[in-house]
Amino acid sequence: MANFNQNPPKFRDKAPEVRERRLETGIAFAGTCNDIRCAQRSGCINAANRSFSQTHGCQFTLSLGMLNSLRNAVVIMHGPIGCGACTIGSVGTSQTFRRLRDPLAEGVVWLNTNLDESDVIAGGEKKLRESILYADKEFRPETIIVPISCVPSLIGDDVDNILDNLQSETAAILIPIHCAGFKTKIMASAYDDVYHGILRGLVRPPVRKIDSNIIPDENYIFKKKYRDEHTVNILNVGSMSRPDELELERLLNAIGLYVRFLPCYSAAEDFRYMTESALNVSVCGTHDDFFIENVYNLFGIPYIIDVMPVGKKNTSRWLLKIAEHFGFEKDAQKFIDSEEREINEALDQFRPTLKGKRVYIAGGEVRILATAEVVQDLGMEVVGFKGHHYDKFSEPLFDNLENIDDVPYNAATQQPFEQINIVKKLNPDLYIGHTGTGNISVKQGVATFPLYGPANNYMGYSGVFEIARRINKALKNWQYCKKITEHCPLPYRKEYLEGDPFKYIKENG
Ligand code: SF4
């Protein structure tokens, strides 16, 4: 039986370094794939300056994407009411996806300390204290998580101290997340902040009470040891659907391994039991490197960060790397061969429609390159990329792409004005990007396909089939995009659209 009274690991800093410094991540670059790879290798990618920039999310809001998924938790946003208002848009999906993992799971419970002008003068500590005590008494959660926005960070609320002092008065574990938006332009720093809080508050080995009056069950002990030694933690993050999880579980079960998914939709105890697994596997270095390396340093659990299992070759490589860790590569290779044969046959029906179609892909740096493998596999041509940012975690994905060196690559977090201009010039048949960014391309008359959808399967071999099936459908009938172009003009002047899309980028490699 687990107990939760052990001391958490100590971290010297309140928050990890932002990614501009930790990973030299860049968000303002225009060139080709070859240019950006060379710039990253020579340490010149670390640029974020535009003389004009459109809004994009902050690390506080991205943190909520992970935090709002945690089960048996209350999130108290410490800041003005506007910070975190985006939660309203994700409450429904969050509740549904929690229940896909645990039918009894409750929906998202969140509070906001609603800091106003007088709190900026007098401090927001009193409001925070009251909110924590209220949440603990009213909702009885296992954890109370406090993401800290810009205002309390600027006025100097000592949130860590408040939480330390209140810990003895609350049943819930109290966790601060230092994720003020102003500290970084690299939104993905949010993942490090959240994982830092999880490491401080939740990750520690479970204590198993052994009753000395009972004779140990050797059979149980043997089975548990075998299971632990063959259990893999898959770090699932926000852009992995439940169908994706089921597919990856199928693949790993097929080669004799057990699977645990976390951190998204996990409860506090899941972070205890994860320390008993044999291997941590990331599907995306952008999300997980901070966490997975710290878990290795603290608990000695080895890890794999390589490609994302989207696309046939990426999935096979991802699976084989895991199998190699356990010495299962021969059996895994046989399984991979049979899966690849099957998926190749299944894709044949789509190839005639898709062959030669030109595709622009925008989104997270790892996911866009992984998706490009599916696009090329189906005989389509990748004509351009836009990555939210760029750093070393893109590199392994290039191994499974062909003729990609001269393809344009724009590092930009959102910046829709650049996207509109470059998409107009490249004139693709299909835009693949996150929901919410495709609307502008639809108005340009381009068929769109979501890079990720929470109810759909993208990962593994079945994911390749699903992507092909849905792209095929999107390209067969794009009358909607054509019609909307006629009735919804874009708010950009002709002169701008004819000019250089990247003229506002001030530093470039
Ligand atoms: S940038 Fe700061 S003030 Fe704006 S939403 Fe993010 S945390 Fe709140």
Side-chain angles (χ1 to χ4, degrees), residues 139-343:
F139 303 106
R140 290 285 160 195
E142 275 182 310
T143 47
I144 294 176
I145 305 164
V146 182
I148 305 154
S149 78
C150 292
V151 169
S153 303
L154 286 166
I155 63 177
D157 281 0
D158 193 351
V159 177
D160 281 27
N161 195 28
I162 293 169
L163 267 56
D164 280 349
N165 290 337
L166 282 181
Q167 188 60 82
S168 57
E169 295 177 43
T170 59
I173 302 168
L174 306 180
I175 302 172
I177 308 285
H178 292 269
C179 53
F182 72 87
K183 287 185 180 169
T184 175
K185 286 183 179 174
I186 315 292
M187 268 172 73
S189 299
Y191 302 127
D192 304 344
D193 297 330
V194 172
Y195 275 136
H196 186 268
I198 287 174
L199 281 160
R200 287 171 82 187
L202 296 179
V203 182
R204 65 203 83 152
V207 174
R208 295 180 184 276
K209 286 183 184 161
I210 297 168
D211 189 334
S212 54
N213 295 321
I214 298 175
I215 298 167
D217 180 346
E218 286 181 7
N219 191 27
Y220 168 81
I221 293 168
F222 175 79
K223 277 187 187 164
K224 181 179 178 326
K225 187 166 179 286
Y226 181 85
R227 195 178 175 100
D228 288 347
E229 287 171 355
H230 294 86
T231 297
V232 177
N233 296 324
I234 306 287
L235 301 184
N236 60 357
V237 296
S239 59
M240 187 187 284
S241 65
R242 186 62 186 149
D244 287 335
E245 287 184 355
L246 294 175
E247 167 66 354
L248 297 186
E249 189 165 20
R250 176 183 78 85
L251 301 182
L252 291 168
N253 287 169
I255 61 169
L257 297 173
Y258 304 98
V259 184
R260 177 180 284 120
F261 290 100
L262 74 168
C264 288
Y265 307 102
S266 298
E269 64 179 4
D270 296 322
F271 295 101
R272 302 283 184 145
Y273 296 127
M274 73 160 286
T275 62
E276 299 182 329
S277 300
L279 182 68
N280 281 322
V281 177
S282 166
V283 298
C284 175
T286 287
H287 285 106
D288 307 317
D289 80 300
F290 175 84
F291 182 66
I292 222 161
E293 279 185 30
N294 273 289
V295 171
Y296 173 73
N297 292 334
L298 290 163
F299 304 102
I301 302 176
Y303 64 86
I304 295 174
I305 299 179
D306 194 54
V307 293
M308 177 180 273
V310 170
K312 189 178 67 200
K313 286 188 247 173
N314 288 327
T315 300
S316 300
R317 171 170 161 160
W318 184 83
L319 195 55
L320 206 52
K321 283 208 177 256
I322 297 171
E324 277 167 9
H325 177 84
F326 295 94
F328 292 170
E329 56 269 41
K330 273 195 188 153
D331 285 346
Q333 190 59 60
K334 271 192 212 154
F335 174 67
I336 286 167
D337 292 344
S338 121
E339 289 284 310
E340 286 196 354
R341 257 195 315 276
E342 208 172 312
I343 187 66

Side-chain angles (χ1 to χ4, degrees), residues 419-420 423 428-450 474 477-490:
Q419 179 184 312
I420 281 175
V423 166
D429 298 297
L430 181 70
Y431 168 88
I432 302 181
H434 279 299
T435 314
T437 62
N439 57 339
I440 50 175
S441 294
V442 166
K443 288 182 189 168
Q444 291 178 293
V446 180
T448 61
F449 175 74
N477 183 356
W478 48 286
Q479 288 304 312
Y480 172 74
C481 314
K482 262 165 69 179
K483 291 271 180 234
I484 210 162
T485 317
E486 290 161 19
H487 299 287
C488 295
L490 287 165

Side-chain angles (χ1 to χ4, degrees), residues 59-113:
Q59 59 164 352
F60 180 90
T61 52
L62 189 56
S63 294
L64 294 175
M66 282 173 81
L67 297 175
N68 287 340
S69 77
L70 298 179
R71 303 204 314 265
N72 308 331
V74 169
V75 175
I76 301 180
M77 302 165 195
H78 189 36
I81 194 79
C83 297
C86 58
T87 292
I88 293 165
S90 62
V91 165
T93 45
S94 223
Q95 174 163 330
T96 306
F97 294 123
R98 283 167 183 223
R99 289 191 178 159
L100 286 174
R101 276 105 175 147
D102 172 6
L104 299 177
E106 292 187 351
V108 185
V109 181
W110 90 93
L111 309 174
N112 186 298
T113 51

